[in-house]
Amino acid sequence: MPTNAQSPLWQRLKRDKHNAQLFQQTADYALAYLQTIAARAVYPSEDALADLAHFDEALPDESQEAITVLEQLHQWGTPATVAQGGGRYFGFVNGNIIPTALAARWLADTWDQNAGLFVMSPIAAKLEQVCENWLVDLFGLPENTVAGFVTGTSVATMCGLLVGRNTLLSRAGWDIAERGLFGAPRLKVVMSEQAHSTVRKALAILGIGREQIQLVPADEQGRLDASHLPELDALTLVILQAGNVNSGAFDPAKIVCERANEAGAWVHVDGAFGLWAAASEKTKYLTEGIELADSWSVDMHKTLNAPYDSGVVLCKDRSAIVSALQARGAYLQFSDERDNMLYTPEMSRRARGIELWALLKNLGRQGVDSLIAQLVENAQLFGTLLEKEGFRVLNDVVFNQVIVVCDTPEHTQRTLQHIQASGECWCGGSSWQGEPVIRISVCSWETTPDDVERSVQAFVTARAETAD
Ligand SMILES: *Cc1c(COP(=O)(O)O)cnc(C)c1O
C-alpha cells in the first residue's frame, strides 16, 4: 500500500504549492484584468456568454493539472465577467474594489485564517477589533457599539432583527432561548412600505409573519412618512431605511427614534449603502438621529468599494447580541481577547476584517469622506445632464441613486434594453410609483465626470435608436 504522501495526487499538490509559475501566471492574468477592465465593454458579449458552455462537462475522473485548470478559468471565465471594476457600471448597488483592499485580500487568502476565535487567528481578531472601533467612529454611533463581520446586509439585518426580537421578548419576561418562539408574546413590526425585500426575508426567517407587520406609507421620495407612524410600544420592532434602494432617500431617523425610544421599542436601521452618508460632511445631514437606534446593518462591498462578501451588523448592546448569537460547545476556547464568532451567526469563516482594515487605513477618514462625496457629485451630474437632454429625473438626487424615464413607459424600457446591450455602460431597471424606470447607482470609486458624460451619450443614442 502506498502511503498518502507517496500518492501521485499528494505529490502533485505538493509540487503545485511550490510552483511559482502557477501563482505568477495567475497574478499575470489578474494584473492584465485590472489594467484592461475599465476599457472593456461593460457587459459580456453574446460570444463570451455562449463560451460559458465550455464549463458544461461531467466532473473529470482524474485530477487535472493546476495550470490547465487556471488557464481554462482565465480563457472562458474572464470574458464572461461583468466589468464592475471600471467607471461605467451603474447596476443594482454594486461597488468596485479599492486596489489596496484587493491586494490585502490576496495576502489574507493565502493566510487562510479562520476568523472565529482569537486562538484560531490572533491577527483576524485584532483587525476586526480595530475595524469595529473605526466604523463606530466613522458612523458616529454610541461608544460601546459592537460589530459582527458577516457576508452582507441580508445577514446583518437578520442579526440585528434577531437581537431586537430576543431583547423585546426578554424584557417582556420571555426567555426565547429557554421557551422558544411558539407561544411568545406577539411582536409588532413597523416599517416603511418601501422597506427592502431582504428585510421582509429576514422577518420571515425570524418567525415574524406578514400579519404582524404594519407598513407605513412613504412620501414621493420614498421616505417613511412619520406623520403616519402608528402607536409604538415595548413589543414593537421598528425598521428604518438609510438609503432607499431606488431613490437613495433616507427615512427620518431622528423623529422616529425619539418616538420609539420613549415607547421602549427596538429600532434597527437598514443602512446597506446609505449608512455611509454619516461618514461624509456633505451628506451627514441625511442620517441625523441615526445614532439613536439600537442596531444597524451596513455593507462594505457597496459604497465603500470593499471586495465581496462583506457586511457588518452593529449593535449598541454587547450582551444582547452575544446572547442572541452565541453557540456553546465544550471544545470552544474563548479568550480574554476578542472572539469574533460571538457577534456573528457563523463559527468558521474567512477573515474579512483583514482587507477591510487595509482599505480603511489606506483611505483614512478624509479619503472615506471624499469617496462618498464623489459618488454623490457624479450622481448629481448624471441627473443634471440627463435632464438637460430631456429625460425626466423622478427623484431628488441626495445620494448616489438616480431614477430616470423617457416620455413613455414603453420607450423607457426599449431605451434601457439598448443601453444594456451597448456595452457603453450598464444600468438596471426598476419600478417607481407604478412606472418602469431606469435606475442608476453611482457606486464605483473609479467613475469620473467623463464616464458620466459618455454614459449620458449612451442614453441619448439609445433613446434615439428606439424611438417609434
Ligand atoms: C443591497 C441591499 C440590501 C441587501 O444587502 P446584501 O449585501 O446584498 O445582502 C439590503 N438593503 C438595501 C437597502 C440594499 O441596498
Side-chain angles (χ1 to χ4, degrees), residues 432-450:
W432 183 250
Q433 283 150 10
E435 191 182 351
V437 296
I438 302 173
R439 182 180 63 172
I440 299 160
S441 177
V442 182
C443 219
S444 164
W445 64 266
E446 211 167 340
T447 300
T448 61
D450 284 347

Side-chain angles (χ1 to χ4, degrees), residues 134 356-364:
W134 288 357
L356 188 56
W357 167 83
L359 190 165
L360 291 171
K361 181 160 163 103
N362 181 215
L363 293 187

Side-chain angles (χ1 to χ4, degrees), residues 112-178:
D112 194 31
Q113 298 293 282
N114 185 337
L117 294 170
F118 178 86
V119 71
M120 296 191 215
S121 178
I123 179 65
K126 172 55 80 183
L127 294 184
E128 291 196 5
Q129 181 61 64
V130 173
C131 287
E132 173 184 292
N133 298 343
W134 288 357
L135 290 172
V136 168
D137 179 25
L138 278 171
F139 297 137
L141 300 181
E143 208 176 320
N144 293 317
T145 299
V146 294
F149 295 81
V150 295
T151 50
T153 292
S154 300
V155 172
T157 296
M158 191 192 74
C159 293
L161 295 177
L162 170 76
V163 183
R165 182 195 72 179
N166 291 9
T167 304
L168 293 180
L169 289 177
S170 153
R171 288 184 196 147
W174 186 274
D175 177 355
I176 198 166
E178 196 59 37

Side-chain angles (χ1 to χ4, degrees), residues 97-309:
I97 289 195
I98 300 280
T100 317
L102 174 59
R105 180 148 177 187
W106 281 7
L107 185 58
D109 278 349
T110 310
W111 292 349
D112 194 31
Q113 298 293 282
N114 185 337
L117 294 170
F118 178 86
V119 71
M120 296 191 215
S121 178
I123 179 65
K126 172 55 80 183
L127 294 184
E128 291 196 5
Q129 181 61 64
V130 173
C131 287
E132 173 184 292
N133 298 343
W134 288 357
L135 290 172
V136 168
D137 179 25
L138 278 171
F139 297 137
L141 300 181
E143 208 176 320
N144 293 317
T145 299
V146 294
F149 295 81
V150 295
T151 50
T153 292
S154 300
V155 172
T157 296
M158 191 192 74
C159 293
L161 295 177
L162 170 76
V163 183
R165 182 195 72 179
N166 291 9
T167 304
L168 293 180
L169 289 177
S170 153
R171 288 184 196 147
W174 186 274
D175 177 355
I176 198 166
E178 196 59 37
R179 304 173 75 182
L181 187 59
F182 299 102
R186 197 176 164 81
L187 294 182
K188 174 169 83 180
V189 172
V190 171
M191 65 188 202
S192 160
E193 59 182 355
Q194 294 203 14
H196 196 263
S197 60
T198 52
V199 170
R200 294 162 199 263
K201 186 192 218 170
L203 289 169
I205 291 171
L206 295 173
I208 296 172
R210 277 198 291 276
E211 277 185 1
Q212 287 167 268
I213 303 174
Q214 244 172 289
L215 295 177
V216 183
D219 68 11
E220 81 297 340
Q221 292 297 324
R223 292 174 292 228
L224 176 146
D225 182 348
S227 68
H228 286 96
L229 208 59
E231 196 165 320
L232 310 176
D233 60 25
L235 285 173
T236 309
L237 266 176
V238 179
I239 304 167
L240 290 176
Q241 181 164 251
N244 179 300
V245 78
N246 287 312
S247 67
F250 289 68
D251 288 348
K254 186 160 184 287
I255 177 166
V256 177
C257 288
E258 282 171 356
R259 292 253 323 256
N261 289 348
E262 261 169 47
W266 181 280
V267 184
H268 178 81
V269 178
D270 170 7
F273 63 95
L275 197 63
W276 287 101
S280 180
E281 288 304 324
K282 183 184 168 79
T283 49
K284 218 173 169 166
Y285 73 98
L286 293 165
T287 58
E288 193 198 356
I290 219 96
E291 72 285 356
L292 301 172
D294 299 279
S295 56
W296 305 262
S297 40
V298 57
D299 270 321
M300 304 294 115
H301 54 218
K302 290 178 176 171
T303 323
L304 186 65
N305 285 237
Y308 292 105
D309 44 36

Side-chain angles (χ1 to χ4, degrees), residues 413-429:
Q413 275 168 323
R414 292 196 304 271
T415 302
L416 175 60
Q417 279 161 10
H418 189 286
I419 292 167
Q420 290 183 341
S422 72
E424 277 289 286
C425 67
W426 204 93
C427 306

